[in-house]
Tab-separated table of all heavy atoms in Angstrom:
chain	number	residue	atom	x	y	z
A	40	PRO	N	-0.558	-11.145	24.099
A	40	PRO	CA	-1.649	-11.440	25.083
A	40	PRO	C	-2.090	-12.882	25.117
A	40	PRO	O	-2.464	-13.424	26.215
A	40	PRO	CB	-2.815	-10.561	24.646
A	40	PRO	CG	-2.153	-9.387	23.972
A	40	PRO	CD	-0.961	-9.965	23.305
A	41	HIS	N	-2.021	-13.619	23.968
A	41	HIS	CA	-2.479	-15.024	23.947
A	41	HIS	C	-1.405	-16.020	23.608
A	41	HIS	O	-1.682	-17.240	23.490
A	41	HIS	CB	-3.637	-15.144	22.970
A	41	HIS	CG	-4.823	-14.374	23.372
A	41	HIS	ND1	-5.105	-13.149	22.810
A	41	HIS	CD2	-5.828	-14.607	24.219
A	41	HIS	CE1	-6.259	-12.679	23.356
A	41	HIS	NE2	-6.622	-13.550	24.253
A	42	TYR	N	-0.145	-15.607	23.384
A	42	TYR	CA	0.888	-16.513	22.946
A	42	TYR	C	2.215	-16.203	23.661
A	42	TYR	O	2.525	-14.973	23.980
A	42	TYR	CB	1.090	-16.401	21.461
A	42	TYR	CG	-0.128	-16.821	20.687
A	42	TYR	CD1	-1.075	-15.869	20.299
A	42	TYR	CD2	-0.370	-18.151	20.397
A	42	TYR	CE1	-2.186	-16.269	19.569
A	42	TYR	CE2	-1.471	-18.528	19.767
A	42	TYR	CZ	-2.411	-17.603	19.316
A	42	TYR	OH	-3.548	-17.952	18.692
A	43	ARG	N	2.989	-17.231	23.878
A	43	ARG	CA	4.433	-17.056	24.214
A	43	ARG	C	5.172	-17.697	23.121
A	43	ARG	O	5.070	-18.975	22.896
A	43	ARG	CB	4.708	-17.723	25.582
A	43	ARG	CG	4.241	-16.949	26.760
A	43	ARG	CD	4.651	-17.589	28.065
A	43	ARG	NE	4.146	-18.968	28.147
A	43	ARG	CZ	3.051	-19.306	28.901
A	43	ARG	NH1	2.418	-18.377	29.574
A	43	ARG	NH2	2.675	-20.603	28.969
A	44	VAL	N	6.042	-17.043	22.395
A	44	VAL	CA	6.791	-17.570	21.271
A	44	VAL	C	8.194	-17.827	21.708
A	44	VAL	O	8.893	-16.915	22.069
A	44	VAL	CB	6.736	-16.645	20.058
A	44	VAL	CG1	7.520	-17.212	18.871
A	44	VAL	CG2	5.313	-16.360	19.635
A	45	HIS	N	8.621	-19.082	21.728
A	45	HIS	CA	9.905	-19.492	22.137
A	45	HIS	C	10.775	-19.884	20.886
A	45	HIS	O	10.275	-20.631	20.047
A	45	HIS	CB	9.867	-20.734	23.111
A	45	HIS	CG	8.849	-20.575	24.217
A	45	HIS	ND1	9.131	-19.753	25.295
A	45	HIS	CD2	7.631	-21.036	24.384
A	45	HIS	CE1	8.069	-19.768	26.149
A	45	HIS	NE2	7.175	-20.553	25.523
A	46	TYR	N	11.960	-19.381	20.787
A	46	TYR	CA	12.772	-19.606	19.548
A	46	TYR	C	14.262	-19.520	19.886
A	46	TYR	O	14.696	-18.837	20.791
A	46	TYR	CB	12.395	-18.591	18.517
A	46	TYR	CG	12.707	-17.155	18.938
A	46	TYR	CD1	13.913	-16.575	18.647
A	46	TYR	CD2	11.760	-16.413	19.658
A	46	TYR	CE1	14.189	-15.306	19.069
A	46	TYR	CE2	12.026	-15.125	20.069
A	46	TYR	CZ	13.300	-14.569	19.761
A	46	TYR	OH	13.540	-13.303	20.188
A	47	PRO	N	15.015	-20.295	19.122
A	47	PRO	CA	16.519	-20.185	19.316
A	47	PRO	C	16.926	-18.859	18.586
A	47	PRO	O	16.326	-18.420	17.631
A	47	PRO	CB	17.067	-21.421	18.555
A	47	PRO	CG	15.964	-21.891	17.688
A	47	PRO	CD	14.692	-21.366	18.213
A	48	GLN	N	18.005	-18.291	19.053
A	48	GLN	CA	18.498	-16.995	18.535
A	48	GLN	C	18.621	-16.896	17.049
A	48	GLN	O	18.297	-15.872	16.474
A	48	GLN	CB	19.761	-16.590	19.275
A	48	GLN	CG	20.229	-15.194	19.055
A	48	GLN	CD	21.429	-14.852	19.862
A	48	GLN	OE1	22.048	-15.649	20.442
A	48	GLN	NE2	21.736	-13.619	19.873
A	49	PRO	N	19.116	-17.961	16.370
A	49	PRO	CA	19.271	-17.786	14.925
A	49	PRO	C	17.918	-17.593	14.144
A	49	PRO	O	17.926	-17.118	13.026
A	49	PRO	CB	19.912	-19.147	14.500
A	49	PRO	CG	20.535	-19.638	15.708
A	49	PRO	CD	19.769	-19.166	16.833
A	50	TYR	N	16.843	-17.964	14.739
A	50	TYR	CA	15.496	-17.804	14.163
A	50	TYR	C	14.757	-16.518	14.622
A	50	TYR	O	13.538	-16.450	14.473
A	50	TYR	CB	14.640	-18.980	14.339
A	50	TYR	CG	15.235	-20.301	13.822
A	50	TYR	CD1	15.157	-21.490	14.508
A	50	TYR	CD2	15.973	-20.290	12.609
A	50	TYR	CE1	15.627	-22.681	14.051
A	50	TYR	CE2	16.576	-21.480	12.147
A	50	TYR	CZ	16.387	-22.616	12.884
A	50	TYR	OH	16.926	-23.805	12.428
A	51	GLU	N	15.510	-15.572	15.150
A	51	GLU	CA	14.851	-14.364	15.702
A	51	GLU	C	13.996	-13.600	14.729
A	51	GLU	O	12.878	-13.236	15.088
A	51	GLU	CB	15.886	-13.411	16.344
A	51	GLU	CG	15.259	-12.274	17.093
A	51	GLU	CD	16.264	-11.564	17.929
A	51	GLU	OE1	17.436	-11.799	17.814
A	51	GLU	OE2	15.812	-10.760	18.785
A	52	ALA	N	14.459	-13.388	13.508
A	52	ALA	CA	13.739	-12.617	12.554
A	52	ALA	C	12.397	-13.348	12.176
A	52	ALA	O	11.323	-12.816	12.080
A	52	ALA	CB	14.563	-12.379	11.273
A	53	TRP	N	12.496	-14.677	11.983
A	53	TRP	CA	11.316	-15.477	11.584
A	53	TRP	C	10.327	-15.440	12.769
A	53	TRP	O	9.133	-15.267	12.568
A	53	TRP	CB	11.745	-16.881	11.323
A	53	TRP	CG	10.849	-17.669	10.494
A	53	TRP	CD1	10.908	-17.867	9.138
A	53	TRP	CD2	9.686	-18.428	10.921
A	53	TRP	NE1	9.910	-18.702	8.769
A	53	TRP	CE2	9.121	-19.039	9.864
A	53	TRP	CE3	9.085	-18.607	12.161
A	53	TRP	CZ2	7.970	-19.850	9.885
A	53	TRP	CZ3	7.979	-19.376	12.254
A	53	TRP	CH2	7.422	-19.992	11.101
A	54	ALA	N	10.817	-15.684	13.976
A	54	ALA	CA	9.900	-15.709	15.182
A	54	ALA	C	9.263	-14.337	15.411
A	54	ALA	O	8.146	-14.299	15.763
A	54	ALA	CB	10.719	-16.190	16.396
A	55	THR	N	10.037	-13.291	15.254
A	55	THR	CA	9.489	-11.919	15.433
A	55	THR	C	8.330	-11.687	14.420
A	55	THR	O	7.303	-11.124	14.741
A	55	THR	CB	10.603	-10.881	15.268
A	55	THR	OG1	11.607	-11.155	16.216
A	55	THR	CG2	10.032	-9.485	15.515
A	56	ARG	N	8.539	-12.075	13.164
A	56	ARG	CA	7.446	-11.935	12.150
A	56	ARG	C	6.227	-12.755	12.570
A	56	ARG	O	5.191	-12.271	12.527
A	56	ARG	CB	7.987	-12.431	10.783
A	56	ARG	CG	6.989	-12.670	9.737
A	56	ARG	CD	6.434	-11.391	9.174
A	56	ARG	NE	5.520	-11.747	8.124
A	56	ARG	CZ	4.506	-10.977	7.723
A	56	ARG	NH1	4.311	-9.808	8.244
A	56	ARG	NH2	3.687	-11.368	6.824
A	57	ALA	N	6.466	-13.995	12.971
A	57	ALA	CA	5.261	-14.829	13.360
A	57	ALA	C	4.611	-14.230	14.564
A	57	ALA	O	3.368	-14.128	14.607
A	57	ALA	CB	5.774	-16.206	13.690
A	58	ALA	N	5.340	-13.767	15.595
A	58	ALA	CA	4.769	-13.215	16.809
A	58	ALA	C	3.973	-11.902	16.457
A	58	ALA	O	2.886	-11.656	17.064
A	58	ALA	CB	5.797	-12.933	17.818
Side-chain angles (χ1 to χ4, degrees):
H41 296 99
Y42 298 95
R43 284 185 301 259
V44 180
H45 311 284
Y46 61 93
Q48 190 175 11
Y50 301 142
E51 184 166 14
W53 201 99
T55 302
R56 166 73 178 155

